[in-house]
């Protein structure tokens, strides 16, 4: 049994690689979340907006339950970022097709690009939830709604807002406040890629409009006693767009003007709920990592069953049993006068071992093995093998077997005695 220390080194290297992979994945945290989720730290996430508002002193929170029941005791301002609404439709399909001839980094797609492991758990805002939210706004609440694409839906219909698909071939747009309002305090210009322009009802207040085209991109729409901030540029809430121009200041001013908060970012429709289980944990952080952890546990368990170090002598009972078996086998050969058969077994075993040393297959004949050894410069081994082969043909007594075994043992000891031994094809220089 050989020393298993190299296997321990290999195991440590594999463990180091796995831990390094976990560290890299930890640095890339947030990939499991959906587009414009406040848990997503990638470019198309909204984690920066949430943390920026929190560090600026605004009371922010995440909602991980549906909007069918909204508590009246703890009023909150819902923030819906790229949340789809059930019953969405495309009233002007031709206009959308003309504006989407050249896709612009995915922002021209009418469907929200679902990413991460929460894809199967995302859901649309149902009719009952839309009714509940609008009733809350009509009673004096506020709402922030950032739709994706230019499809009409029941929520926009109730507000009287229509979306007009922006030309995706246009470069990044510069938006400016058309008039001074509390929603744009400290904002001179906003730079963002626009998905849709807004067609507003009469009482709506434009907040941001395209500097050159004059089309409205963001507006505050009154509904009952409350108001709704509608933004047709989802990139304005993304991590990659928050650092441009006065984009961050726009969110601080608009959120502060809408109400005291708390500002409740909807994560339920991005696939997050309050329910937690082992399956949810594996799906959230990647099932492959759970499988790797299981594999690492099995590997460590299997290594724990192995022994490292030099081979230990067998127990006393095993040595005694092996000796008894050897003497019994020797007696059988002696009583049955199988001296020639025993001699051929010894000669065959020695030939196989020397054939491997000579670079030949195990079934090579003694003659071929002797020739290969001579070509490799091991004439001593070749001569010794010839002597053993010749003696095995004439062995007829116990003394001959003992002499043959002694010759084979001495020949095995001389296999690695010379430094010019090489394992190459016979005949090569």
């Amino acid at each position: 049994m050989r020393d298993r220390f190299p296997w321990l080194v290999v195991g440590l290297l594999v463990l180091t690689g796995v831990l390094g992979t976990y560290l890299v994945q930890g640095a890339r945290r947030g990939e499991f979340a959906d587009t414009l989720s406040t848990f997503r730290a990638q470019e198309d996430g909204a984690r920066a907006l949430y943390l920026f508002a929190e560090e600026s002193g605004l009371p922010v929170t995440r909602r991980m339950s549906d909007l069918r029941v909204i508590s009246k005791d703890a009023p909150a301002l819902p923030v819906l970022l790229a949340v789809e609404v059930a019953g969405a439709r495309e009233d002007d399909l031709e206009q959308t097709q003309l504006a989407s001839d050249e896709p612009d980094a995915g922002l021209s797609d009418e469907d929200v690009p679902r990413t991460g492991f929460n894809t199967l758990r995302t859901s649309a805002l149902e009719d009952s939830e839309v009714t509940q939210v609008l009733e809350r706004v009509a009673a004096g609440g506020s709402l922030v709604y950032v739709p994706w694409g230019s499809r009409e839906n029941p929520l926009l219909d109730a507000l009287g807002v229509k979306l007009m698909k922006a030309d995706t071939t246009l470069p990044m747009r510069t938006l400016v406040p058309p008039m001074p309002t509390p929603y744009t305090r400290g904002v001179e210009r906003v730079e963002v890629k626009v998905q849709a322009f807004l067609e507003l009802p009469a009482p709506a207040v434009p907040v941001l409009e395209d500097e050159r085209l004059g089309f409205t991109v963001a507006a505050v729409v009154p509904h009952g006693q409350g108001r709704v901030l509608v933004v047709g540029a989802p990139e304005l809430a993304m991590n990659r767009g928050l650092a441009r121009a006065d984009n961050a200041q726009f969110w601080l001013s608009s959120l502060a003007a809408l109400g005291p908060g708390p500002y409740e970012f909807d994560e339920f429709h991005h696939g997050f709920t309050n329910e937690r289980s082992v399956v949810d944990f594996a799906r959230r952080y990647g099932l492959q990592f759970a499988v790797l952890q299981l594999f690492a546990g099995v590997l460590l368990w299997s290594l724990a069953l192995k022994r490292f170090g030099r081979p230990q002598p067998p127990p006393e009972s095993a040595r005694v049993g092996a000796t008894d078996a050897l003497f019994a086998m020797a007696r059988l050969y002696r009583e049955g006068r199988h001296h020639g058969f025993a001699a051929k077994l010894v000669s065959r075993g020695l030939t196989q071992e020397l054939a491997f040393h000579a670079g030949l297959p195990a079934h090579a004949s003694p003659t071929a093995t002797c020739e290969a050894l001579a070509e490799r410069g091991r004439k001593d081994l070749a001569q010794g093998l010839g002597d053993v082969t010749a003696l095995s043909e004439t062995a007829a007594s116990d003394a001959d077997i003992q002499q043959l075994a002694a010759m084979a043992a001495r020949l095995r000891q001389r296999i690695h005695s010379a430094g010019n031994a090489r394992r190459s094809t016979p005949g090569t220089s």
Side-chain angles (χ1 to χ4, degrees):
M1 183 170 56
R2 297 181 177 180
D3 190 3
R4 294 190 177 93
F5 181 75
W7 290 104
L8 178 61
V9 175
V10 172
L12 292 176
L13 292 177
V14 172
L15 181 60
T16 303
V18 172
L19 293 178
T21 303
Y22 285 158
L23 291 176
V24 172
Q25 293 295 335
R28 298 166 59 189
R29 64 188 184 278
E31 288 188 354
F32 58 86
D34 191 24
T35 302
L36 276 179
S37 167
T38 58
F39 287 107
R40 185 170 179 81
Q42 307 308 305
E43 291 184 350
D44 56 351
R47 182 182 179 88
L49 175 59
Y50 182 86
L51 297 179
F52 176 70
E54 185 178 35
E55 292 297 326
S56 300
L58 298 179
V60 293
T61 183
R62 294 183 175 100
R63 183 182 182 89
M64 298 187 185
S65 58
D66 57 43
L67 296 172
R68 292 186 178 92
V69 178
I70 301 178
S71 176
K72 296 181 180 180
D73 298 333
L77 195 157
V79 180
L80 308 180
L81 303 179
V83 173
E84 294 183 332
V85 180
R89 65 193 185 282
E90 187 63 60
D91 291 341
D92 194 349
L93 183 59
E94 182 179 359
Q95 178 194 76
T96 302
Q97 291 176 346
L98 290 176
S100 304
D101 287 339
E102 297 181 9
D104 187 13
L107 290 174
S108 62
D109 193 358
E110 289 297 306
D111 296 322
V112 181
R114 298 300 182 188
T115 57
F117 293 96
N118 279 28
T119 301
L120 299 179
R121 302 187 59 178
T122 57
S123 59
L125 203 66
E126 299 181 357
D127 295 339
S128 58
E129 295 176 289
V130 173
T131 302
Q132 184 69 22
V133 170
L134 291 177
E135 288 180 355
R136 182 62 179 275
V137 173
S142 299
L143 170 68
V144 176
Y145 179 46
V146 182
W148 187 277
S150 60
R151 291 177 179 173
E152 284 73 18
N153 57 61
L155 179 58
L156 294 174
D157 293 341
L159 299 175
V161 177
K162 293 186 177 296
L163 301 181
M164 182 176 61
K165 183 70 176 182
D167 188 355
T168 56
T169 62
L170 296 177
M172 186 176 301
R173 310 306 300 168
T174 299
L175 311 180
V176 295
M179 64 184 73
T181 61
Y183 308 99
T184 56
R185 181 174 300 169
V187 177
E188 294 184 1
R189 60 185 178 86
V190 172
E191 295 181 356
V192 70
K193 294 181 180 179
V194 178
Q195 274 195 350
F197 299 114
L198 310 181
E199 295 182 5
L200 305 173
V205 178
V207 174
L208 292 175
E209 67 177 20
D210 192 294
E211 185 180 23
R212 297 197 176 190
L213 301 178
F215 295 145
T216 303
V217 178
V220 175
V221 183
H223 183 73
Q225 298 180 4
R227 48 196 170 172
V228 179
L229 173 62
V230 182
V231 181
E235 196 195 29
L236 186 57
M238 291 183 179
N239 298 330
R240 64 188 178 194
L242 201 64
R244 300 192 199 116
D246 299 326
N247 296 12
Q249 182 60 43
F250 167 75
W251 284 111
L252 288 182
S253 300
S254 58
L255 291 177
L258 286 173
Y263 307 97
E264 196 173 56
F265 289 82
D266 179 28
E267 290 294 339
F268 177 83
H269 296 92
H270 288 293
F272 291 93
T273 63
N274 290 325
E275 301 176 358
R276 287 292 180 266
S277 64
V278 177
V279 177
D280 291 335
F281 178 83
R283 181 165 53 182
R284 174 177 176 180
Y285 292 100
L287 185 59
Q288 68 273 23
F289 302 125
V291 175
L292 285 177
Q293 290 177 3
L294 178 62
F295 176 75
V298 173
L299 180 62
L300 293 177
W301 173 74
S302 61
L303 291 178
L305 300 179
K306 303 295 182 179
R307 190 190 65 81
F308 299 95
R310 296 293 180 182
Q312 295 180 352
E316 184 68 22
S317 59
R319 293 200 301 270
V320 173
T323 304
D324 293 343
L326 182 61
F327 277 111
M329 185 63 64
R331 183 175 182 181
L332 289 176
Y333 277 97
R334 187 180 301 110
E335 295 296 334
R337 294 186 176 278
H338 299 299
H339 300 92
F341 180 73
K344 289 182 179 180
L345 288 180
V346 175
S347 175
R348 187 183 307 168
L350 179 62
T351 302
Q352 292 177 352
E353 186 171 356
L354 291 178
F356 174 75
H357 182 72
L360 297 178
H363 56 78
S365 63
T367 303
T369 305
C370 290
E371 294 176 354
L373 289 173
E375 292 180 0
R376 288 174 174 263
R378 298 304 305 269
K379 294 182 179 180
D380 56 334
L381 297 181
Q383 183 178 359
L385 177 60
D387 296 340
V388 170
T389 303
L391 183 58
S392 66
E393 298 292 338
T394 61
S397 63
D398 292 346
D400 294 340
I401 296 299
Q402 292 178 358
Q403 181 182 1
L404 180 67
M407 292 175 58
R410 289 194 297 270
L411 199 60
R412 285 191 177 93
Q413 292 177 355
R414 293 203 306 267
I415 289 179
H416 300 287
S417 61
N420 59 348
R422 298 171 300 169
R423 289 186 180 180
S424 60
T425 305
T428 58
S429 58

